[in-house]
Every structure is written in structure tokens, then in C-alpha cells.
Amino acid sequence: MSALLSARGLTMQFRGLLAVNAVDVEVAAGSVHGIIGPNGAGKTTFFNLISGLLRPTSGTLTLDGRDVTALPPYARTRMGLARTFQNIRMFADMSVLENVMTGMHTRLKAPGWSAVLRLPGFRAEEHAAKADAMELLEFVGLADKANGRSGSLAYGEQRRLEIARALASRPRLLLLDEPAAGMNPAETRELAVLLKQLGQRDVSLLLVEHDMGFVMDLCDRITVLNFGRKIAEGGPREIRNDPAVIEAYLGSKVAERLAKAHGA
Ligand SMILES: Nc1ncnc2c1ncn2[C@@H]1O[C@H](COP(=O)(O)OP(=O)(O)O)[C@@H](O)[C@H]1O
Ligand SMILES: [Mg+2]
């Protein structure tokens, strides 16, 4: 399999802190790739470097062999990269369907003023966009809520809506930051089922997750970060038995407990 996304020596320094330190990662086309690591390991920072929200201190990033290191997020979206956020971001007062349609603006061709004048070209495009959006809502299991207010969706449903909106830009690589965060076990299982179907749509996945079980169930390949560095990489079984990974997680658990005991 060829690399869809390739990070080489990716580094992000915040003043004195190396949040991401010389990380190499290759995401193969057609794969589900997970980035895991304890709190503060650099997962979100790594993710923001890939989506273009942050510019790396050093290192390069290629998408389909093209250097995208200097490209802003919208240009990466046009090249087939889409993302969701750790904290859900959507337009609560818009309908569920309208929220999905906001994810399509990067690929709609009719100029904005044609919408104001409601020209035929715009109406045809709007019609097609609506049909596409409905199909995505069916895919994520929200078709019956299409006309409801987004803000009134349950938490797990909002996560699904975010995924539908990200898919609306027709990405080849979907980036998910902690998609299972805040979900109950049933919602988490449903989400895993949904994400496993993305391969059939030629969408590869790169997900950052704190929940090891979820990642082990879903991913073909896993990269483990700790203190900004890559400490392990491989299939779920290898990672589960890797002493450095076990130590990193145990270490962070002990640290969390100590912090709690000291009232931090
Ligand atoms: N904008 C920032 N400025 C300074 N330090 C940051 C910034 N963002 C993250 N960090 C620090 O970088 C490290 C990695 O953070 P983060 O990428 O959020 O980790 P994770 O997502 O794995 O929990 C942490 O020590 C965090 O405090
Ligand atoms: Mg994070």
C-alpha cells in the first residue's frame, strides 16, 4: 500500500516545550491508523499539524506525495483532508441537514452571489447538495432527524453529525480527534461500527484517541506518542504487548493518582 499521508521529522515547539518531537508517521491508503498516548503526549498537537491549524517548527508533511507543509487548512481540505474537533463544533440553531451542507462549500462551484439571486445554476447545485447531504445523514443514521435543530441532538448524535459534515467535503483522509470522548459504551460501539464502514467509501482514517480499547478494536496500525516522541508503532497486538507502551500508560496512571492524592 502506498502512503496517503506522510509525516517526516514533524516537530512542534511551544517556547521550551517539544510537544511533538521529530515524529515520522505514514498513513497507508485504505487504512485506519490510530495515534494514542497518555494525556499531554502531543496527540492533539500532532493532529493540528496535520490539519494545518499549526505550522510545524520543522519537518515535512506530504499528502499523496505532494508537500503540503506550508498549505493552510482550507487548501488541505480541497486536497482531500477533513477533520472533526475534540470539542464538538457545529451551528446549534441550524437544522441537521443544513449543518451537513456547510461541509460542502469547498466543493460547490456556483459563486456566492448566485445564491442571493437564486439563479438556476445555483438551484440545481443546491438540489444535488441536499441529496448528497441526505445520503450522508442516512449513512450516519440521522436521516429521520434531518429537519430537526442540531442543538437538540443527543451527544452521540452530534458526534455522528460532525462526521457527516466532515464527509461532505468528500475527503480521502478523515482526521478524528477523540471521537469516542464523552460517549457511553453503547454509543462507542455504534461509532466503531460506523467508522469501520468508511473503507468502503474509500475514506482512510487517522484518529487520535485516549481510549485504548476503542483504538485496538478499530485500527490496522497504531502509533504511540509519549512526551512528544514516537515510542512504538505496529498492529494492535504488538502495541498491546509492547513494554514501553505499557510503561507509558502505567506511568501516567500513577502520575494522575498522585496528582489527585495531592488535590491537584
Ligand atoms: N498552544 C500551546 N502552547 C503551549 N503549550 C501547548 C500548546 N498546546 C499544547 N501544549 C502543550 O503540549 C503538550 C502536548 O499537548 P497535547 O498535544 O494537547 O497533548 P494530548 O492531546 O496528547 O493530550 C502538553 O504539555 C501541552 O500542555
Ligand atoms: Mg488531546
Side-chain angles (χ1 to χ4, degrees):
M1 280 195 288
S2 58
L4 182 56
L5 181 86
S6 169
R8 289 248 176 275
L10 214 59
T11 299
M12 187 72 218
Q13 184 164 1
F14 296 117
R15 291 184 209 94
L17 178 82
L18 282 160
V20 172
N21 191 356
V23 172
D24 294 332
V25 170
E26 298 228 315
V27 179
S31 72
V32 178
H33 194 121
I35 307 281
I36 63 169
N39 267 327
K43 303 182 297 294
T44 296
T45 304
F46 182 76
F47 197 86
N48 289 337
L49 288 170
I50 291 176
S51 70
L53 216 60
L54 287 174
R55 191 70 62 84
T57 311
S58 59
T60 56
L61 203 63
T62 58
L63 188 62
D64 246 349
R66 282 176 62 192
D67 192 326
V68 298
T69 318
L71 294 185
Y74 70 85
R76 298 184 196 199
T77 306
R78 279 206 197 116
M79 289 176 66
L81 206 66
R83 72 166 296 175
T84 63
F85 290 87
Q86 192 171 343
N87 304 310
I88 292 173
R89 297 181 184 186
M90 63 167 72
F91 303 102
D93 288 324
M94 281 191 191
S95 77
V96 170
L97 184 71
E98 283 164 345
N99 258 291
V100 178
M101 291 176 71
T102 63
M104 293 178 175
H105 66 275
T106 51
R107 61 191 182 94
L108 296 184
K109 286 184 204 73
W113 49 262
S114 69
V116 180
L117 299 174
R118 303 202 64 79
L119 297 179
F122 169 77
R123 270 180 272 144
E125 200 168 61
E126 189 187 37
H127 193 75
K130 257 189 190 153
D132 268 16
M134 270 315 289
E135 192 275 325
L136 287 170
L137 285 176
E138 254 152 48
F139 176 66
V140 302
L142 289 173
D144 57 332
K145 308 239 159 114
N147 297 316
R149 197 178 149 268
S150 301
S152 60
L153 292 178
Y155 185 79
E157 292 172 334
Q158 292 190 11
R159 285 261 167 220
R160 284 163 175 271
L161 172 55
E162 262 209 316
I163 290 169
R165 186 175 58 186
L167 289 173
S169 69
R170 292 277 173 246
R172 281 174 306 143
L173 181 63
L174 177 61
L175 308 173
L176 302 174
D177 193 4
E178 303 220 9
M183 283 190 165
N184 64 40
E187 286 173 332
T188 304
R189 273 194 302 276
E190 278 175 38
L191 179 68
V193 170
L194 174 69
L195 295 180
K196 281 175 185 171
Q197 290 166 26
L198 284 174
Q200 298 156 18
R201 298 182 158 242
D202 290 323
V203 178
S204 307
L205 266 184
L206 179 65
L207 60 106
V208 163
E209 206 21 268
H210 193 64
D211 179 340
M212 274 263 233
F214 181 75
V215 167
M216 295 288 164
D217 172 39
L218 204 60
C219 294
D220 309 309
R221 201 165 172 79
I222 297 165
T223 301
V224 189
L225 299 182
N226 195 26
F227 296 113
R229 280 200 171 273
K230 181 164 97 174
I231 60 163
E233 195 166 61
R237 193 160 301 162
E238 271 170 88
I239 293 300
R240 205 193 306 263
N241 297 314
D242 190 309
V245 177
I246 295 166
E247 199 190 313
Y249 271 85
L250 285 179
S252 77
K253 287 261 154 54
V254 171
E256 274 166 30
R257 260 189 234 128
L258 281 175
K260 270 199 194 117
H262 288 92

